[in-house]
Every structure is written in C-alpha cells, then in structure tokens.
Amino acid sequence: MSRLIAYLRGIARRRRIDVEIDEELAFHVEQETERHIALGLSPADARREALIGIGGLTQTREASRLVRSTSLDAIWRDLQHAIRSLSATPAFTAVALAVLTLSIGATTAIYSVVDGVMLRALPFPTPDRLVAVGEQHIRSASAQDLNLAAPQNFLDWRAQQDVFTGIAAIGYASISVRPENGREPETLEAQAVTADFFPVLGVSPIIGRTFTTESEVDGRAQVAVISYGLWQRRFGGAADVVGRLLPGQRGDFEILGVMPPTFAYPVGASRSTEVWIPNVFRPEDRVRANEYSYRLQVIGRLRDGVTLAMGQARMDQITAALAAATPHWFKDRAAKVERLDEYLTRGVRTWMFMLLIAVAFVLLIACVNLANLMLVRASVRRRELAIRSALGASRADLARTLLIEGLVLSLVGAALGVALAWAGAAVLRAAIPPEVPRIADISIDLRVLAAMAAVAVASGLIFSAAPVLQFSRPVTGPAIARMLRAKTTPALQWLRGALVTLEVALAVVLLVGAGLFLASFARVTRVDLGIDPQDVLTVRIRPLTGAHNWQLAQQRNRGLLENVLQRVRAIPGVDVAALVSGGMPLRGDLRTIDFGIPGRLLPRGEDLDFNEVSADYFRVLGVPLLKGRFFDQGDRGGGEPVALINEAAARTYFPGDDPVGRIIEFDGARRIVGVVGNIRHDGPETDWRRQGFIPLHQSRAVGATLVLRLSRNARDIVPMVKSAIWTQFPDLALPDVEMLSGYLGNLIASRRFNMQLLTLFAVLAVVIACVGIYGVITYSVSLRTQEFAVRLALGALPRVIVWSVLGRALIYLGGGLAIGLAAAGTLATLVSGFFFETRPHDPWVYTSVAATLVATGVIAALLPARRAARVDPLVALRVE
Amino acid sequence: MPRTELLQGTLDLLLLRVLVLGPNHGWGIANRIRQMSQEGLSASQGSLYPALHRLEIRGEVTSEMTPSENNRRARVYTITTAGRRRLKVEQKGWEHFALSMRRVLETE
C-alpha cells in the first residue's frame, strides 16, 4: 500500500517537474523574445530567434528532464534494462536461477527440520526451567542411556526434593477402546502420568480438571484427561464431555478434562498421545526388593532461583542418603538432572548437526558458483561498461545497473527457493524416520528463510558489482580501446579459477560423505539376517487377561490361537502360517530366561533368548534346520518337553559336540531335538544372539504373533486375517499389523534417510560444480578464440587445442580434488559413528569419488574444448 | 569579435561565477554571461538548463520557483557553499590552464 502511494507520488512529482521545466523554458523564450524586440526585430522574428537560441524547445526539455528526473525513474530504467539483458542471456539466467533455487530451497528445508527437532524452544511456559531427572549407570559411558527411573526411587525423590516446583513420572500405557457403532476396536496412545505432570509442564486443561495424587492408587485410577484431538474425533467436541466415559476394554475411564489443542507430550511425536491416565503405584513399587524395574521417565520444573547445578547437587544428596539405606540398589548408579530439551533430542543431535553442515556445504557451493557466474558475466560486459563509462555514466550509474541486475536475479531465485523449501519440508517431514523426536514441530521458519535468501542474494550482489571497481576513474580514449581488446584482467581470471577449485573441493567433501553413507547402507542391506523378511505378514494378538485367571486364560487362549491358525491357513494367498510368542525378530521385543545344562557349571546368569513357536515358524521365516528335526504335531502338552537351539547357542554351549538329544534346563528340563540357523534378532547392525525355542503347545503363552508367508498382496489378505481373529477373540484391538519387511525398514530408516539426503546433496553439488567448470572453461575459450584460430590456421591439430583447454580444467579439478579429499578425510572421522562396517577412509569410496568427479568435470570441460577445436579461422579472425 | 564556442567543462564554471553575484534565473544568467564577456561568450542555451539542473542535483546550487518581474513564475537559482567551494577549485584550475596555454602559445 505504502509502495503504491510512493509510486503515485513519483508519477505526480514527475508531472510537476515537467510542468516546471516547461514553465522555466517558456519564461526564457519570452524574455529572449523581448530582448530581440528591443534590439529591433519584429515580434515574429524575435520569437523565432529566441527559439533557435534555445536549440529546439523539445530537445531542451527532454535534456533537462533527464537530469532532473527522480532516482525512481533511473531505477525503473535500470530494472527494465536488467530484465532485458537477463532475458537476452537465457542460459546464464536459467543456470543462475536453478542454483539459487536449489540451494535456498534445500538449505531452508533442512534447517527447518533441524530447527523443529532440536533448536526451537519447547512449547511450554518458561521451557528453560524444565528438566529431566533420571538414573544413570556410572560406568557405562554411553550418553545414549535411556535415563529412566525406578518407581521406588521416584517416590522417594518426590517426597524429599525441594529444588523443583514438582516432579512427575511418565510411564507407557495404551488403552484399547471397545468398538462402538460398528467401528473397529482401536488402541489409543496413552501415557500413565503422576498428578504433577500437568503443573510441571505448566499447562492447564481447557475444560474440566486434571487428576491428583489421590488417583495414583489402584481402584481410583479409572479417570482420564484426553487430548483436544480425541475430544473432537470421538466426542465431536461435545461441551458436556467431562464426566462421560471412555469405554476401555479393562474398564471405563471417567473423563476429567480436555487439554488445549497445542498441548503435546512427548513434544511433536510422530504419533501423538491422546489419553493421560494416572500412573498407579502398586504396593511392590513402594519397597526396595531384589527386583529392579527402570520404567519411568521423570520430568521436573526447577524452582525460581535454582540452577541446574543446584538441582543436581540436591539430587546427589538425596541419592546418597537413599544409597546408605539400600546400597545394592544404588551400586554404580546416580541420579542425573539435565535440561529437558537436551534430554529429548540427545540421540539425534550429532546427526542433525551433520545434516546441517552437509546442506551448508551445498549453500556454500551455490554461493561460490553464483559469484563465479556473475564474474564471468561481468567480464563479458566490460565492453558495454567501458562504452557507457566513456559516454559519461558515473561509477555509481554502472554499479546501480549491475546491482539491480543482480538483485532481480537473486530475488526471483529466492522466491523460487521459498517455493521449493515449502515443498521440501513437507517431503522431509514424511520421509524422516519416526523415532526422531518433535517431527510434528517441523515447519518453515520465516526468519530462517529470510536468512538463507539473504545469504544467497548478498553473494550474488557482491560479485555482480565487482567489475565496477575497475571504473574508479573516468575511462579515457586509449584505456577504452585497451579494455575493448583485453576483455579481462589477470586478477579476475585468477579469482575465477580459485572459485571453481573451491567448488570442486566442496563437492568432493559431499561426494565422499554420500559415498560413505551409500557404502554403509549397501552393507546394511546386504547383511545376512538369517531370515527372509519379504512377504511375511505379522499380526500381534494380545488377548486381555485379568491376573487372577491367568491359568484359565492360558488354556482357553491356546485353543483359540490354534483355531485362528486353522482359519488363516484356509485363506487363499497364505502359504504358511505360524504363531510365535516371546521375541519376534526385528520388532524390538525380546524375552530371555535362565538357561542351564544339568551336570555342567555355567556362569551364573547365563540366559538364552526364549521363543515359543508353532511348528511351521521356521518355514515361514525361512530359517534352515542344521541338525535334528523341527517341532512337529507330536510336540504337544502331554509329550516330552523339547527345545530347539540355534547355531550360536550350540557353538557356545556344545563346542565340538552334537547337542541333539541333550537335556537342558530351559523353562524346565527339555530335550534338544534340533539345531536351527542363526537370526539377527535385533536387525542387521547387531550380532547373532544365542536363542532357544520351545513348542507353543508346551508353553504358558497367553498371546502370540501370527506370522504368515504370503503369495498375494497383503492388502487383500489383512481384512480376512482380522475377521478370522475376531471369530475367536471378539472385539480385540489389533494395532500391530505390519509386514516383517516393514519392521526391517524401520530399523534402517535413519540410514536410508541419511543416505538419500546426502546423495541428493552430493549430486546437487557435483552438478553445480560442473556448471561452474563449464562456465569458466567456456569463457576462457571465448577469450582465446583468436589464438585458437591462428593456431589452427597455422596447422595445429584440433586434438592439441582440445588438450590445451582441458589442461586448465584438469588444474581446477586436481586442485579441488586434493583439497576436498583432505578435508573429507578429516570430516569423515568426525562422523564415523554413522557408518556401518565402513572405515572413514575407505579407499574404494575415495577412489570412486575422485573418478566420478574427474569424469564429470572433464565432460563439462569437453563441450567448450571441442567447440574451441572447431573454430573456423576465417570467421574468427574476421571479427577483429 | 566572433562568439567563441564554450570549451567542454567551462559552462559550470561560468554559471557558478555568475551566481556568486547573486541569485538569478536561467535567462538572467545567460544574459549576464553575454554582458560580462562583452558578447564574447554565449552559453549554448540548449545546454544551459540541463547544466543548471545538474548543478542542482550535485548540490552546488539550489532553486526555487518565484514570481518574476512581469508576473510569470521563474526558477531562480542560488549558489550554495558547496558551489562556492567548487567555483574556487574550478577557477584555480582554469587559471592554471589558461596560463599554461598562454605560455605555450607565446613561447617563441
């Protein structure tokens, strides 16, 4: 609006200027006419004489107006000039715009991810007062410790601490809701929290209230606070929601309150929590027996005036007092207080910084490239500038012309970059591995965008105006002639060469990074898992049991599970079906139990992974039988207790022996009937585990996971499998339906993400660097056209010309490679933790990077080189 | 005496010299130059106004639209301090130039 006013004012002012100039000139003519009359001329002659004297009214008016016109006019003229001259060189403009767009877009998108995940303050009042309190193992140096607390310790901390306004414990819970109105039963993401949870975070419900410590006891805990999202989704935002019931399958929860729409904890999780219920402390949670269970996340809010160090000191005191009473509970363990935001993002910090650095390299290359493009362009325009300077344009005029051109280019590029950043952030948010905290917080930050755009624009501007420096004094005749001939100066040429070398070096660093991640990823995917995860559907069946009728439930469920198995076997497309309980490979669950061999003394605490499986389990997963036999239909409740062990267990406990037929202590005495192949239970980056298996029919399992090898699309089969399960377990929620390959995908998701992103950056960098090489070589060829023409005319072979051009490119490439490889070698060791079975100085990676770069660089240089060799001497020499 | 074409760059000097005598409008300035040079110099009037406007943009003169003797509005130019400073410099330069020219021309 204000711009419009300024514009209109400019027009008005221009009109006024015109009027005034006319008036001034009219006055002059009038006076002059009178003077001529006084000298004795007739009025008509006097007027003619006066007009001749002023040299034509219109020309004079135009000349005056040019001088008097506002700077707005000048800028408008320059703007039109800039647009004309940019569209006159579409190749240059397109390349510059592409470089700007890609770099601004990529940098902003990545920075937005890092900012959302890690840099932005937590969305709670005075977030810097929030801390996490947890127990840490002193000896284990790993900073990745989960830092959870045992309920016993939490209760004592809460009772004794005086440095926090409150501390709260958060445990995992999930609530299965009974199906209503024909909807499938659903499982809500829930947290079991203590009463201080809401006050500590400093957020109150928008409707109703939250619960108090009174509710932390069994029997009084059937209350819930729900999220805004659930309120809208399930209750249609009803105003009378407080007091209504959430129909849980283990009892109804009375709704006490609704949290504001912005409230989320954990902050920005990929799957948000919808229900908060009281964390119930059982009687055994209040005494320190011999069983430890570290399962609570503890958060607190520091009192005003209490620093982190003071909080830590007080917690140390409290822990020391507790340790004096029950030493075995605190052996090598200490309480640790740390900022909540750091606690939440600890696992991803280095990773995020690495991404940031990688994208900064892209931005840097782009800026360097832009500078180079501008320099080349400016050199080409020295003739034009020299002529304009000779015609009276001041240095400021020339600088303004060039700057406005740079500005137009940069702003258009920045605008396109913004568009790309929006799209890019959305893509990244979808692609980022779900374990990354605060994913939902990722959004484009306008300040970030502005900063990135400013960097790119500034680099374009600075270098666009660089050639003006040569016109520090008015250029006179001989100097113009010299400039028209020379076209460039050694200093500019050197600068261009240095910039291209720098581009190559930066590209090399990114290429090496990408290469190392690619190699890691390739190795991860080639790891032998011991199973074939393709086309295996897994459905977890977790029936509900009350603790009091455990045995009854076991017997009943075993029959129901068997029925389910029969039914799914009949589904067309299900080739093999089996059930597994205990630990399901790649899903992250694991059960181990004590293991012994009668008559042998094994070290205390030897345990073996414990899996309860049905007969066809190994066939579904494709695990080979190495010795003996698999389970069969005979291995039932009444039969001899049997077990299978895997190769790793056999090798550890029966080295050089045949384990088949031996008796082991493994959930009772069992006879080993076979040895099966190893499975990488926790994913490709982990070792084999020692595993044992028992028949499901001889186990006490109450639930199991259905594993099905499919020969048809899972989408067609899942509904049939679900209804088969519901015939036996009506209304059971089935939240975990997933292909085994999907679980594998989750395990390597962050690797895939890193690899894809770095590869993208590296490709971008190489393309930009090649554009740089191409541009500089093309330009140097254009400078030497006459030289080549003379040499060709004198009989030089085209091959020789090509080589003399390529030579220069090779100097840039060689220099850039040397610098880049050295820098990459140093940087790679810093991030070696991200690599899998790939050394940071993997010679294969470095060699292929060098080869790739030289090859693409030479191709980029070859195009102008061949053009140089095809110069027609006659045409080229006629030009001068 | 024939009228001499102005040398490149001397117009500014003349304009400033005239304005030192007091504020004046364009026609008055041209007239004054003619009188002071005893009809020997005449500012090509086509370049007079652009030159004045250029001086104004450089801040060496200021101007104002004022009613003139016969009730027409005229733009009256006034020299500024910067203008006086420039005049001094240009005057010295010119004297030096003229002296050098004379020396060369009068050397036997």
Side-chain angles (χ1 to χ4, degrees):
Chain A
M1 189 61 204
S2 62
R3 215 174 297 161
L4 183 70
I5 289 172
Y7 177 72
L8 292 175
R9 196 174 289 160
I11 291 176
R13 188 150 147 235
R14 192 153 59 185
R15 187 150 302 147
R16 208 188 75 221
I17 290 167
D18 282 352
V19 169
E20 286 181 5
I21 289 173
D22 285 347
E23 220 172 333
E24 186 170 29
L25 293 180
F27 173 74
H28 183 101
V29 170
E30 215 165 283
Q31 294 286 62
E32 195 67 4
T33 310
E34 273 172 36
R35 193 172 68 88
H36 285 299
I37 291 173
L39 287 176
L41 289 182
S42 71
D45 286 346
R47 183 166 172 80
R48 204 182 59 234
E49 198 65 25
L51 285 175
I52 291 171
I54 206 162
L57 204 52
T58 316
Q59 281 106 310
T60 309
R61 181 163 56 200
E62 277 307 310
S64 280
R65 190 162 66 194
L66 267 183
V67 174
R68 282 206 78 84
S69 60
T70 58
S71 51
L72 190 90
D73 292 316
I75 287 171
W76 179 240
R77 268 202 319 276
D78 281 337
L79 206 60
Q80 289 172 318
H81 181 89
I83 292 168
R84 267 201 311 276
S85 101
L86 284 174
S87 27
T89 50
F92 162 84
T93 308
V95 169
L97 281 182
V99 168
L100 267 170
T101 308
L102 290 175
S103 57
I104 294 178
T107 320
T108 311
I110 290 295
Y111 187 86
S112 306
V113 169
V114 177
D115 181 60
V117 168
M118 195 168 94
L119 302 179
R120 210 173 301 158
L122 297 176
F124 304 111
T126 53
D128 53 321
R129 309 301 295 163
L130 289 173
V131 295
V133 188
E135 292 181 56
Q136 224 175 21
H137 200 266
I138 297 173
R139 297 265 171 87
S140 77
S142 162
Q144 310 287 339
D145 254 355
L146 272 177
N147 247 15
L148 298 177
Q152 290 88 340
N153 292 347
F154 168 75
L155 288 172
D156 282 331
W157 291 344
R158 181 165 75 175
Q160 296 175 26
Q161 68 83 17
D162 48 13
V163 283
F164 307 110
T165 60
I167 62 173
I170 303 153
Y172 174 81
S174 79
I175 295 178
S176 296
V177 180
R178 287 199 308 270
E180 284 177 330
N181 321 329
R183 275 193 286 186
E184 281 192 10
E186 65 173 336
T187 301
L188 302 175
E189 202 70 18
Q191 282 175 332
V193 298
T194 59
D196 277 336
F197 174 74
F198 303 101
V200 162
L201 291 177
V203 182
S204 313
I206 47 170
I207 300 181
R209 59 178 185 91
T210 62
F211 38 81
T212 61
T213 44
E214 309 283 300
S215 299
E216 290 170 10
V217 194
D218 211 1
R220 274 183 296 201
Q222 295 302 103
V223 290
V225 174
I226 63 172
S227 74
Y228 187 87
L230 184 65
W231 179 44
Q232 295 295 325
R233 183 161 63 84
R234 196 164 180 107
F235 298 97
D240 63 342
V241 68
V242 171
R244 281 167 66 171
L245 295 178
L246 193 63
Q249 284 182 323
R250 293 170 210 207
D252 296 347
F253 290 88
E254 183 193 345
I255 292 167
L256 293 184
V258 179
M259 294 307 286
T262 51
F263 180 77
Y265 191 93
V267 184
S270 51
R271 196 170 166 206
S272 55
T273 303
E274 295 192 300
V275 186
W276 293 272
I277 55 173
N279 186 64
V280 173
F281 293 96
R282 291 164 301 172
E284 62 264 34
D285 288 338
R286 298 174 190 272
V287 289
R288 288 192 171 81
N290 288 326
E291 212 174 274
Y292 318 93
S293 164
Y294 302 102
R295 58 182 160 90
L296 297 177
Q297 190 194 115
V298 179
I299 60 171
R301 179 178 283 277
L302 289 169
R303 280 186 197 284
D304 287 342
V306 177
T307 65
L308 199 65
M310 288 156 72
Q312 178 69 61
R314 189 75 187 101
M315 289 309 295
D316 286 344
Q317 261 180 358
I318 294 173
T319 309
L322 292 174
T326 46
H328 68 282
W329 262 72
F330 293 94
K331 190 162 177 291
D332 292 338
R333 294 187 75 86
K336 173 119 172 70
V337 182
E338 89 185 285
R339 284 179 61 114
L340 185 61
D341 48 0
E342 285 173 11
Y343 168 78
L344 290 176
T345 58
R346 201 166 40 188
V348 296
R349 234 152 226 273
T350 347
W351 175 20
M352 289 289 141
F353 273 123
M354 187 194 67
L355 291 184
L356 208 53
I357 288 169
V359 83
F361 270 76
V362 175
L363 185 68
L364 207 58
I365 296 179
C367 287
V368 170
N369 189 275
L370 206 58
N372 221 338
L373 282 173
M374 288 296 193
L375 280 181
V376 169
R377 180 179 176 77
S379 307
V380 172
R381 300 180 62 189
R382 283 164 51 89
R383 289 157 173 265
E384 178 199 333
L385 295 182
I387 292 168
R388 285 187 57 191
S389 169
L391 290 177
S394 68
R395 197 143 74 102
D397 290 336
L398 296 183
R400 197 182 52 219
T401 307
L402 291 175
L403 279 174
I404 285 181
E405 216 175 280
L407 199 66
V408 168
L409 196 63
S410 308
L411 288 182
V412 174
L416 292 175
V418 172
L420 186 69
W422 283 108
V427 170
L428 282 174
R429 196 163 37 215
I432 205 164
E435 78 266 17
V436 172
R438 303 184 69 181
I439 294 179
D441 283 358
I442 295 168
S443 64
I444 293 282
D445 186 304
L446 291 179
R447 288 166 308 164
V448 173
L449 199 59
M452 297 301 157
V455 171
V457 168
S459 72
L461 282 186
I462 290 166
F463 285 92
S464 67
V468 177
L469 300 177
Q470 297 173 318
F471 297 92
S472 47
R473 59 183 65 87
V475 184
T476 48
I480 292 179
R482 207 164 47 238
M483 286 179 113
L484 291 185
R485 272 198 311 274
K487 295 192 229 176
T488 189
T489 64
L492 277 185
Q493 195 146 359
W494 186 88
L495 183 57
R496 278 194 301 272
L499 288 176
V500 167
T501 309
L502 181 61
E503 273 180 60
V504 172
L506 291 169
V508 166
V509 173
L510 281 177
L511 261 184
V512 168
L516 291 171
F517 276 96
L518 268 169
S520 297
F521 189 75
R523 278 167 202 165
V524 164
T525 51
R526 276 203 305 267
V527 165
D528 175 21
L529 295 168
I531 57 173
D532 172 15
Q534 297 307 315
D535 304 319
V536 175
L537 178 70
T538 72
V539 183
R540 198 203 300 249
I541 305 171
R542 194 153 43 178
L544 306 159
T545 46
H548 48 279
N549 56 4
W550 196 261
Q551 241 168 354
L552 204 72
Q554 278 170 10
Q555 275 173 6
R556 195 176 59 102
N557 286 355
R558 209 173 301 149
L560 296 176
L561 286 170
E562 183 63 33
N563 293 345
V564 169
L565 203 54
Q566 298 302 339
R567 280 171 185 269
V568 294
R569 276 197 184 118
I571 296 172
V574 174
D575 286 359
V576 197
L579 287 161
V580 54
S581 189
M584 166 86 200
L586 307 180
R587 196 171 59 187
D589 35 330
L590 178 70
R591 184 135 47 106
T592 63
I593 64 167
D594 280 345
F595 165 74
I597 302 170
R600 277 208 2 223
L601 198 65
L602 293 177
R604 213 181 98 74
E606 278 297 306
D607 51 13
L608 209 56
D609 289 6
F610 180 71
N611 305 274
E612 301 134 309
V613 300
S614 71
D616 286 333
Y617 176 69
F618 301 101
R619 279 180 58 211
V620 173
L621 293 190
V623 177
L625 179 71
L626 302 179
K627 268 178 193 155
R629 65 167 176 92
F630 282 137
F631 298 137
D632 57 34
Q633 295 305 316
D635 299 320
R636 305 215 137 250
E640 184 191 21
V642 291
L644 288 164
I645 59 173
N646 72 350
E647 199 189 352
R651 202 167 278 167
T652 309
Y653 301 116
F654 305 98
D657 250 3
D658 186 0
V660 176
R662 302 284 292 266
I663 304 287
I664 52 172
E665 283 294 332
F666 190 57
D667 188 39
R670 291 178 180 276
R671 182 179 302 280
I672 298 175
V673 294
V675 177
V676 297
N678 288 333
I679 299 173
R680 271 186 222 281
H681 189 88
D682 295 327
E685 298 183 44
T686 58
D687 216 341
W688 308 119
R689 299 186 59 87
R690 295 189 294 269
Q691 296 183 306
F693 304 85
I694 68 163
L696 190 68
H697 285 294
Q698 297 180 350
S699 80
R700 292 187 296 262
V702 282
T705 295
L706 200 55
V707 288
L708 311 171
R709 181 158 289 280
L710 305 183
S711 57
R712 256 174 70 192
N713 195 327
R715 209 174 325 133
D716 306 331
I717 292 179
V718 166
M720 289 188 271
V721 172
K722 278 186 171 177
S723 47
I725 294 170
W726 284 327
T727 59
Q728 306 300 312
F729 299 96
D731 299 343
L732 183 69
L734 298 169
D736 300 315
V737 180
E738 179 72 80
M739 299 299 285
L740 197 53
S741 52
Y743 287 120
L744 177 63
N746 289 346
L747 288 173
I748 58 177
S750 59
R751 262 195 201 291
R752 182 189 300 274
F753 181 76
N754 280 348
M755 174 205 60
Q756 288 169 340
L757 213 56
L758 262 120
T759 308
L760 182 72
F761 291 169
V763 169
L764 214 60
V766 171
V767 168
I768 296 176
C770 283
V771 166
I773 291 174
Y774 172 81
V776 169
I777 298 295
T778 302
Y779 179 62
S780 81
V781 165
S782 81
L783 291 185
R784 294 167 69 191
T785 306
Q786 274 93 43
E787 177 204 325
F788 294 141
V790 170
R791 286 168 67 179
L792 284 168
L794 292 179
L797 292 172
R799 190 159 41 90
V800 178
I801 303 288
V802 169
W803 272 110
S804 84
V805 173
L806 279 188
R808 184 179 295 250
L810 286 174
I811 291 173
Y812 300 147
L813 283 170
L817 259 180
I819 300 169
L821 288 178
T826 313
L827 287 173
T829 42
L830 294 182
V831 292
S832 56
F834 291 101
F835 305 142
F836 176 74
E837 290 180 359
T838 306
R839 279 171 301 129
H841 296 131
D842 188 312
W844 185 85
V845 167
Y846 284 70
T847 320
S848 5
V849 164
T852 311
L853 204 89
V854 169
T856 45
V858 165
I859 290 170
L862 210 53
L863 298 171
R866 290 170 54 117
R867 216 174 297 141
R870 279 203 301 268
V871 166
D872 181 347
L874 284 178
V875 175
L877 292 175
R878 207 176 293 142
V879 172
E880 283 293 282
Chain B
M1 193 175 167
R3 283 188 188 172
T4 314
E5 281 300 309
L6 284 175
L7 273 172
Q8 176 94 34
T10 51
L11 181 56
D12 286 5
L13 175 57
L14 288 175
L15 297 179
L16 291 170
R17 175 68 187 87
V18 170
L19 285 175
V20 149
L21 303 174
N24 211 334
H25 43 66
W27 182 78
I29 295 170
N31 224 12
R32 212 56 194 269
I33 291 175
R34 211 168 32 233
Q35 286 168 6
M36 286 163 75
S37 67
Q38 296 162 11
E39 307 281 331
L41 294 174
S42 108
S44 141
Q45 286 155 1
S47 56
L48 174 72
Y49 287 96
L52 278 169
H53 297 156
R54 207 175 300 123
L55 285 179
E56 184 174 4
I57 283 170
R58 294 170 67 145
E60 287 158 2
V61 303
T62 57
S63 77
E64 204 184 353
M65 295 298 286
T66 50
S68 73
E69 305 93 70
N70 52 1
N71 241 359
R72 291 292 299 253
R73 289 210 316 155
R75 182 175 289 279
V76 169
Y77 296 87
T78 311
I79 191 164
T80 65
T81 323
R84 287 171 201 279
R85 219 179 295 128
R86 167 115 192 269
L87 175 62
K88 239 177 238 167
V89 174
E90 295 271 316
Q91 202 163 348
K92 263 211 190 99
W94 174 255
E95 278 159 13
H96 181 250
F97 176 74
L99 183 67
S100 310
M101 283 296 286
R102 209 164 58 225
R103 276 183 191 144
V104 172
L105 295 175
E106 288 172 1
T107 303
E108 292 292 316

